[in-house]
Amino acid sequence: MLPLSLRTLATRTLLLLVIASAVSCSSLPPEDGIRVVSAEKRIDLTGPIVKVFLTLKVENAPTASEASRVLLAFTPTEVQHLSIVKATRAEGKHKKKAFVPLSIEASELATTAPDAPRLYSVLLSTPLKPGDATTLEVLYMLTHSLEPFPAEISQSESQLVYYRDSAVLLSPYHVLEQVTYIKMPSNRIESFTRVDPTTRAGSEVKYGTYNNQMPNSYLPILVHYENNRPFAVVEELVRKVEISHWGNIQITEQYKLKHGGARHKGVFSRLEYQSRPSVSGASSFKNLLVRLPPRVHSVYYRDEIGNISSSHLRTDSHKSELEIEPRYPLFGGWHCTFTVGYGLPLQDFVFESVDGRRYINLTFGCPLLDTVVDDLTVKTSYSYLDVVGRTTVVLKKKNVVGEHNVPFQVYYEFNPIFMLAEPLMLISAVLLFFVAFIAYLHMDLSIRKSS
Amino acid sequence: MAPPALDSLPAPLRSLRLKTKQQELLLRVSALALIYVLAFAVRLFSVLRYESMIHEFDPYFNYRTTLFLTENGFSEFWNWFDSESWYPLGRVVGGTLFPGLMVTAALLHRLLRALSLAVHIREVCVLTAPFFAANTTLVAYAFGREIWDSGAGLVAAALIAIVPGYISRSVAGSYDNEGVAIFALLLTFYLFVRAVNTGSLAWALASAFGYFYMVSAWGGYVFIINLIPLYVLVLLVTGRYSQRLYVAYNCMYVLGMLLAMQIRFVGFQHVQSGEHMAAMGVFFLLQVFFFLDWVQYLLNDARLFKSFLRITLTCVITVGALALGIGTASGYISPWTGRFYSLLDPTYAKDHIPIIASVSEHQPTAWSSFMFDFHILLFLFPAGLYFCFKRLSDATIFIVMYGLTSMYFAGVMVRLILVAAPAVCLISAIAASATIKNLTTLIRTKSRSPQTTSGKTTGSKAAAKGAVDQSLPFQHNAAIALLLGAFYLLSRYAIHCTWVTSEAYSSPSIVLAARGHNGGRVIFDDYREAYYWLRQNTPPDAKIMSWWDYGYQITAMGNRTVIVDNNTWNNTHIATVGRAMSSYEDEAYEIMQSLDVNYVLVVFGGVTGYSSDDINKFLWMVRIGGGVFPVIKEPDYLVNGEYRIDKGAAPKMLNCLMYKLCYYRFGELTTEYGKPPGYDRVRGVEIGNKDIKLEYLEEAFTTSNWIVRIYKVKPPKNRS
């Protein structure tokens, strides 16, 4: 009755930049004559996610041919935890300077050794001519790269973590000059590896300047410091989007949340937690912020055993913020699963494209702020009260961070006439009921006439 | 279909008659439909005020089993051995429950799914009780019509739709056996009375199936299988024996018995246990009666028959007594259970089975709760009995017997008010309906008599009324006044019922609500906080020890294994837990080690003033524990017969496990302004032992309002 034979044309307009799967690698020296003139590496360790900002000034040798790409190198461990890499290139001079985003792909150079650096190539929009120089800004993020040490802490202790990296930039190119800055959340730094020249200023450690590093040089460093920011990890997130053409988009998000920091050990004392909130359970967290689109309605927050009565919703014309509090504060290693659901007005997100097809424009990624999502699934389907199966577009992605919250579109064909199918069904059911009743009243069902 | 009497009427009048008949049908159907909706809607307070959730304790078990049934199918469910409860014994769930409720909910769920309504099984479970309560109103209507007239039926439907005694057990979320059982009970009774009235095999068969449904749903079916034989016996004694009765009872008993034996929990008990013997006895008696009747008809000689009667009766009584005696002595017929005894003798449980006496809903009923649950029905009930006796028939005898016996049981146990509620409603409906009908006929004849003095319709009856009118000049006004009074009372009843439902019976008791300082509502969701913590942050095979009240909730919401739960089938096991709770920590540790306990959960209200906590239940733990293990003596925990927790408390009390777990580090907490730290807000005293050290356990989790406290049992120390 309902021909929902939608030929879903799920065009993934969003090309997710990074695929942390099999990446071919190489230790072969690049054939072009690129070298890094100066490099600055700023590592932000203040949160649970490691953010690295690289500023590379690269130069093509006058004798070499035109270069269309610049290679970035990562260690195999980094590649495993690499969530996103973005690169921009500064173009124009001085006031007209603009940053042009560049696309990045995993380099296809042949693999030689298991622990050799893995390469990613930044594709330049315009090839670098021999003798020319350009500046690249690279941002990449690493998840699960802060190792809590000690791995188990009690309620009154603060959380200390290790971070491992290299003092010098790992690069397939010759690096002429390089500095590394590591920014930590507080002054409490237990220890850090010294690779002279190394200086510490407050919560920042500076490595370098190092000159004339050979390609693929690596000087391991280890930083041990305090990080009490909530290590909220969503182990699994399933977002279901259901479009009803009667004016509503229903979104259901199922979270499997975990505190990914140092494991809680021993006693949990509510008394300590309540009376001395600053010292007790410093690394635990008890609420999270969910950023939702504006004009969100019928928001609910529940789990397998019912509503969770502690949440606040603030809405304005630009965004809605839902502050949710799990049933109990989350200490290291504690789990918590819950479901957040909400409705959105249809006209804000479903549009008609030029060729008559419809498309839904939604944000990919996780609406929870400052969290890592290990495993994300987005399912999109339409219709309600259906009598035939619904076609569903499923997008899956591992290792997602906030930077992945970019719009995506799903195109599909839909004939508005089928919107009437559901009310017609209901009407005919009610009608049938009444007809049956009328028929019953007018019929004599007795076998013999009563006398 | 048209009655032949109509043919004698003139044509225009005939069409008018048909029209009024249709109007009457329309009125009746719409009134019933409204009552149906009302009965459903009035039970939704808790959903609107809280959320769509399962309430209380037992419903959680029912919900858990229903979930299992929908996920794994019927045969898995039927053969389910639940290792998550009664560790290490486990529980044969399929053989120890009444599956009617779960199967009903699962079928409803499947039906809705088939109609492609994607509802969760929880919603179905939450709304099962209101749905069946609404159906009960229809049965009450039919029953009322059967015993009196359709007016009484309508009133009965309206009364039962909102009677608090029934609502208390059938609000949305109270997913318990009683929710469907009252429907099944009334249906069985209705069908049986209908079978007795008509002598039809079909109705008797229907009542046997109704009985089967009741047996599958609730242990209260014992009431049916004793009331119906009693009723038959009364009819025999009062000389109202008839072929109709013979057909109805034999068919209902034999088929009902065979069907009931299909329920594993009942099985052969139905022919072997003491509670069911009355039905069997009456069955044989009825055969003897029938036989004698036949012989009398054949002999046609009074003297001969008398001697025959003497011989037969002697034989039958001897054989019956012999069979019963041998059966009881050989253990083939099991004696009455404690629960049954405690119904007949209200003091029995108190002396012999503390575990039954410890449940608040098993206490004898206070007068105030009768008033609370029945309101004006309490006064209408005797009036209705009067009407029933005035128009005695097989059906009214039944309802009178049902009313009187169930009222007695309601007096013995609070929870059995539920069983009495339909009877009280029906009898009261007869009173209300008959009174209003009498009054309105008085008013109508008075007002109509001047207009249609010569009309055909006013026969000799109206003339007689007119004569009465003359003798009582104020009758008309008095009738109006009485009618207004009746409506006033009924409207008070409606208001009372709504108020009671909203205030008293619509709280889920999992989530507690209180008024804050600024008048806003404060929610205490500590139970679910603790259960969810257990579910998420303890090993999946962890064993939780708590008092049995919380067993079902822990398994359903926490998804962890418990030592004892609300099933209370093994008194020794519960007593072991009671003993552990009332022992010193080191002794308790040995018991806990022997039971592989990983966590201990206690409920404590001292911070919030939540009074039904474990400290207030503690004496029952001591009593139940002491009932099996004489090491535990109640006087050790009391000071001069007084239960105290402050400085003057007994030393054993101050150092037993329960006290330690409840008050651990409570001495450092200030609960109320102007009171010393460690002030217990439930008991209203400062606690006696503020320096509690735990050696074998450690605090694992305490909820935000301290209502639930969970302790981890430390592993045994290494040998040094």
Side-chain angles (χ1 to χ4, degrees), chain A residues 247-318:
Chain A
N248 190 35
I249 300 174
Q250 182 63 38
I251 301 188
T252 317
E253 293 166 353
Q254 289 164 329
Y255 291 89
K256 225 174 171 178
L257 187 72
K258 186 196 174 182
H259 187 302
R263 292 183 61 81
H264 174 74
K265 121 185 125 176
V267 175
F268 165 70
S269 168
R270 177 66 71 171
L271 184 75
E272 299 281 334
Y273 186 74
Q274 278 172 341
S275 55
R276 289 186 293 160
S278 55
V279 205
S280 177
S283 68
S284 71
F285 60 96
K286 64 174 183 181
N287 49 17
L288 295 163
L289 205 60
V290 185
R291 181 147 305 164
L292 301 176
R295 307 220 288 150
V296 65
H297 64 86
S298 354
V299 182
Y300 64 84
Y301 168 44
R302 55 177 302 141
D303 59 23
E304 288 125 297
I305 61 172
N307 277 357
I308 306 167
S309 41
S310 43
S311 59
H312 307 278
L313 180 69
R314 288 180 292 269
T315 49
D316 58 38
S317 53
H318 302 296

Side-chain angles (χ1 to χ4, degrees), chain B residues 528-588:
Chain B
R528 289 194 293 182
E529 182 183 342
Y531 297 146
Y532 212 61
W533 183 85
L534 279 177
R535 189 188 185 108
Q536 299 276 328
N537 299 311
T538 55
D541 60 344
K543 282 98 193 165
I544 321 286
M545 183 173 90
S546 73
W547 191 233
W548 60 266
D549 295 20
Y550 316 107
Y552 278 167
Q553 293 180 351
I554 294 173
T555 41
M557 287 194 268
N559 197 17
R560 292 292 175 268
T561 308
V562 293
I563 307 294
V564 290
D565 67 25
N566 311 44
N567 189 230
T568 64
W569 64 275
N570 188 328
N571 191 39
T572 315
H573 216 48
I574 291 182
T576 312
V577 172
R579 183 186 174 185
M581 292 295 191
S582 35
S583 306
Y584 292 124
E585 198 188 343
D586 50 346
E587 296 160 5

Side-chain angles (χ1 to χ4, degrees), chain B residues 288-366:
Chain B
V288 172
F289 210 88
F290 184 77
F291 176 67
L292 287 174
D293 218 33
W294 179 66
V295 169
Q296 188 184 21
Y297 168 74
L298 278 187
L299 285 176
N300 215 356
D301 180 348
R303 204 176 51 81
L304 214 62
F305 176 69
K306 212 163 226 173
S307 53
F308 180 77
L309 184 71
R310 204 172 302 134
I311 298 166
T312 323
L313 274 188
T314 327
C315 287
V316 165
I317 290 171
T318 326
V319 168
L322 216 63
L324 200 67
I326 291 174
T328 318
S330 64
Y332 192 70
I333 298 174
S334 61
W336 288 352
T337 58
R339 274 168 205 269
F340 199 71
Y341 265 122
S342 60
L343 271 181
L344 299 179
D345 174 10
T347 56
Y348 180 82
K350 205 159 236 170
D351 302 334
H352 295 89
I353 327 166
I355 201 142
I356 291 179
S358 75
V359 181
S360 64
E361 61 183 22
H362 290 165
Q363 304 303 317
T365 316

Side-chain angles (χ1 to χ4, degrees), chain A residues 4 74 91 105 151 173 191 198 314 384:
Chain A
L4 291 187
F74 297 96
E91 280 182 5
E105 63 181 30
Y173 305 114
S191 67
T198 305
R314 288 180 292 269
Y384 176 68

Side-chain angles (χ1 to χ4, degrees), chain A residues 12 28 145 155 190 220 230 236 266 291 374 390 409 447 450:
Chain A
R12 247 189 255 187
L28 291 175
S145 296
Q155 192 179 347
E190 296 286 300
E236 199 184 331
R291 181 147 305 164
D374 290 349
R390 44 178 86 166
Q409 291 83 31
I447 296 170
S450 56

Side-chain angles (χ1 to χ4, degrees), chain A residues 266-272 274 302-307 309 327-328 334-337 385-386 441, chain B residues 51 116-117 122 523 525 528-529 532-533 535-537 557 665 668-669 699-704 706:
Chain A
V267 175
F268 165 70
S269 168
R270 177 66 71 171
L271 184 75
E272 299 281 334
Q274 278 172 341
R302 55 177 302 141
D303 59 23
E304 288 125 297
I305 61 172
N307 277 357
S309 41
R327 290 192 187 274
Y328 40 84
W334 286 12
H335 293 261
C336 167
T337 58
L385 202 80
D386 34 17
L441 282 184
Chain B
E51 59 184 274
S116 73
L117 292 170
R122 182 187 54 245
I523 295 241
D525 205 354
R528 289 194 293 182
E529 182 183 342
Y532 212 61
W533 183 85
R535 189 188 185 108
Q536 299 276 328
N537 299 311
M557 287 194 268
R665 298 200 70 179
E668 299 165 45
L669 185 78
E699 189 179 1
F701 187 74
T702 297
T703 57
S704 47
W706 291 54

Side-chain angles (χ1 to χ4, degrees), chain A residues 10-12 14-21 83 235-241 254 363-366 373-380 392-401 404 408 410:
Chain A
T11 37
R12 247 189 255 187
L14 167 83
L15 246 177
L16 300 169
L17 300 176
V18 177
I19 297 95
S21 54
S83 172
E235 291 183 310
E236 199 184 331
L237 168 61
V238 180
R239 298 182 73 197
K240 281 184 194 148
V241 181
Q254 289 164 329
T363 311
F364 190 78
C366 166
V373 182
D374 290 349
D375 205 342
L376 171 73
T377 311
V378 181
K379 295 181 181 175
T380 315
T392 305
V393 178
V394 182
L395 309 177
K396 280 179 191 258
K397 164 120 186 71
K398 288 190 189 303
N399 215 355
V400 181
V401 291
H404 288 120
F408 74 102
V410 178

